[in-house]
Amino acid sequence: MRFVIQRVSQASVTVDQQTVGSIEKGLMVLIGVSQTDNQAIADKMLKKLLGLRIFEDQNGKTNLSLSDVDGSLLLVSQFTLYADCRKGNRPSFINAGAPDVAEKLYQYIIERCQSQFPDAPNKIQHGSFGADMKVSLLNDGPFTIILDSDDLA
């Protein structure tokens, strides 16, 4: 599983010219699912994501987590995070998870995040799996982190 995490001042995702998810201060996360991913891997990734201290404290140090700053999440599925560009010029997506499995894991991630913020359900926004989405964001920093489940202990 791969997450591309961007600290944002604002972000939104649009499908067919309709905004389906929008946040202010928080994290916009692109989520890629591989063929070997499962709920246990998703749980590890979410623990790391929600614990990341990448927001600035009063001294300007990146020392605060999403919950410390009362931030929001925008979760967007993106199978192209598993593009293999080693051969030729046309990417292969053979390592991306099958759509039915990937969609189930994506929904699982959304539900797990919502359960972490039960008093603020609007804090968790998301795109539409498999849709042609337009993502807009104002990266704060810029601050971008790539998490890969293969690299987590």
Side-chain angles (χ1 to χ4, degrees):
M1 189 168 291
R2 291 184 180 144
F3 288 178
V4 175
I5 303 160
Q6 297 188 348
R7 187 178 73 186
V8 299
S9 299
Q10 63 186 36
S12 64
V13 61
T14 314
V15 176
D16 295 329
Q17 300 177 336
Q18 296 276 91
T19 300
V20 296
S22 178
I23 64 168
E24 294 299 318
K25 182 178 188 171
L27 300 174
M28 200 278 301
V29 185
L30 302 175
I31 301 169
V33 175
S34 78
Q35 295 178 13
T36 59
D37 289 330
N38 56 42
Q39 290 182 354
I41 291 171
D43 288 339
K44 283 184 182 179
M45 293 289 284
L46 288 172
K47 182 177 181 184
K48 181 63 87 172
L49 168 68
L50 297 175
L52 284 175
R53 297 183 312 165
I54 60 174
F55 292 92
E56 293 180 357
D57 64 16
Q58 65 275 11
N59 298 318
K61 302 274 185 191
T62 52
N63 200 31
L64 301 175
S65 68
L66 184 68
S67 61
D68 293 333
V69 298
D70 195 31
S72 299
L73 277 173
L74 178 60
L75 305 168
V76 179
S77 64
Q78 188 170 354
F79 77 94
T80 61
L81 293 180
Y82 276 95
D84 183 345
C85 299
R86 291 178 291 182
K87 295 182 182 177
N89 292 319
R90 184 171 184 223
S92 166
F93 298 102
I94 195 164
N95 295 321
D100 58 332
V101 174
E103 184 172 14
K104 286 178 185 169
L105 277 172
Y106 177 60
Q107 291 302 324
Y108 176 79
I109 290 167
I110 292 167
E111 290 165 10
R112 294 287 293 153
C113 288
Q114 289 169 334
S115 74
Q116 296 292 315
F117 298 90
D119 298 330
N122 291 334
K123 291 277 182 197
I124 311 302
Q125 299 285 306
H126 55 86
S128 298
F129 186 88
D132 180 16
M133 295 178 279
K134 308 300 181 206
V135 178
S136 174
L137 66 113
L138 182 57
N139 194 314
D140 180 20
F143 206 113
T144 301
I145 292 177
I146 299 172
L147 283 184
D148 191 313
S149 59
D150 290 342
D151 299 333
L152 294 182

